[in-house]
Amino acid sequence: MIRKIIRIDEEACSGCGLCVTACHEGAIALVDGKARLMREDFCDGLGDCLPACPEGAITFEEREAAEYDEGAVKKSRGSGGCPGQRITYRKTAVLDGLGADPENASDPGADRTGGAEAPSRLSQWPVQIKLVPVKAPFFQGAELLVAADCTAYAYAGFHEQFMKGRITLVGCPKLDGEDYGEKLGQIIRQNDIRSVTVVRMEVPCCGGLEQAVRRALENSGKYLPWQVVTISADGKILER
């Protein structure tokens, strides 16, 4: 049927993800850092996403498209959809993590919870480098953590020592089969990033993550403080 439906100009899209949040039907997702209409039958043609787009990359067009399926939308909402495509930001998690923590400073890997469940220090979603948008509100003024995904499993104090007070990005260049340098460079150039911490494993393939961050910083044209922390296979921080 011919009906009004949104059109997304991917070249104009900055990947901020605001349209994903604004679309109550869940028709839009971020794919490779760009907004994309995933389900035509989820788009109601009302355009809640249009005013949310700061780049003007979303417009209406009249074309052949699947009919809006309200029942399918409601069913998808009930299942929760894919959380990996929904941008969320827990500002309080970042604020709670700011400042020094003397208790953790002496032994960052120790359990200070007294047996209670430790609080999560994750402040935003998504966290995968390949899924996160290039521009997002949580990047402004951020202390950025770029971590190999194995590090959180290897190091017991990962949340308290590294994630606390930072925006977290994780990835594995070997498994993802891609170079993160260009995207990380765009994130650094287009946002007010204050520092970068890289946490990697001692294995050689993790060197790709460190090199990607190095290139991103060099190509960004910005001078930022950054550090690299290496975790051993038995869960210890290695001196460099």
Side-chain angles (χ1 to χ4, degrees), residues 2 40 78 100 104 131 144 148 205 228 238:
I2 302 295
E40 290 184 351
N104 284 317
L131 293 180
L144 193 64
C205 58
V228 179
L238 300 179

Side-chain angles (χ1 to χ4, degrees), residues 138-210:
F138 49 73
F139 281 133
Q140 298 310 310
E143 308 281 345
L144 193 64
L145 169 65
V146 182
D149 49 16
C150 294
T151 55
Y153 295 94
Y155 187 67
F158 189 82
H159 275 244
E160 289 298 321
Q161 176 72 0
F162 299 117
M163 290 175 61
K164 187 176 181 180
R166 294 186 175 101
I167 295 299
T168 303
L169 301 181
V170 301
C172 176
K174 183 175 182 179
L175 295 181
D176 288 344
E178 60 184 88
D179 182 357
Y180 300 126
E182 182 178 351
K183 185 169 187 180
L184 290 172
Q186 292 176 2
I187 290 173
I188 293 170
R189 282 196 305 272
Q190 298 183 34
N191 300 280
D192 178 26
I193 304 297
R194 296 183 179 178
S195 69
V196 181
T197 297
V198 180
V199 183
R200 54 164 291 185
M201 298 297 296
E202 63 178 327
V203 295
C205 58
C206 266
L209 186 66
E210 180 179 344

Side-chain angles (χ1 to χ4, degrees), residues 46-86:
L46 297 179
D48 288 344
C49 54
L50 270 70
C53 179
E55 310 297 337
I58 305 177
T59 56
F60 278 126
E61 64 179 352
E62 295 262 350
R63 64 173 176 83
E64 183 73 28
E67 184 178 0
Y68 173 61
D69 190 340
E70 185 177 3
V73 170
K74 289 182 178 179
K75 184 177 180 181
S76 176
R77 285 175 179 169
S79 65
C82 176
Q85 297 174 343
R86 296 180 180 175

Side-chain angles (χ1 to χ4, degrees), residues 2-63:
I2 302 295
R3 71 180 184 94
K4 184 168 69 173
I5 196 169
I6 65 163
R7 176 182 180 276
I8 301 174
D9 182 350
E10 290 194 10
E11 290 189 5
C13 174
S14 65
C16 70
L18 295 177
C19 60
V20 179
T21 303
C23 178
H24 303 299
E25 281 68 36
I28 306 173
L30 289 176
V31 179
D32 296 329
K34 297 288 185 177
R36 184 176 299 176
L37 179 61
M38 304 300 292
R39 293 281 300 264
E40 290 184 351
D41 58 335
F42 277 27
C43 178
D44 59 9
L46 297 179
D48 288 344
C49 54
L50 270 70
C53 179
E55 310 297 337
I58 305 177
T59 56
F60 278 126
E61 64 179 352
E62 295 262 350
R63 64 173 176 83

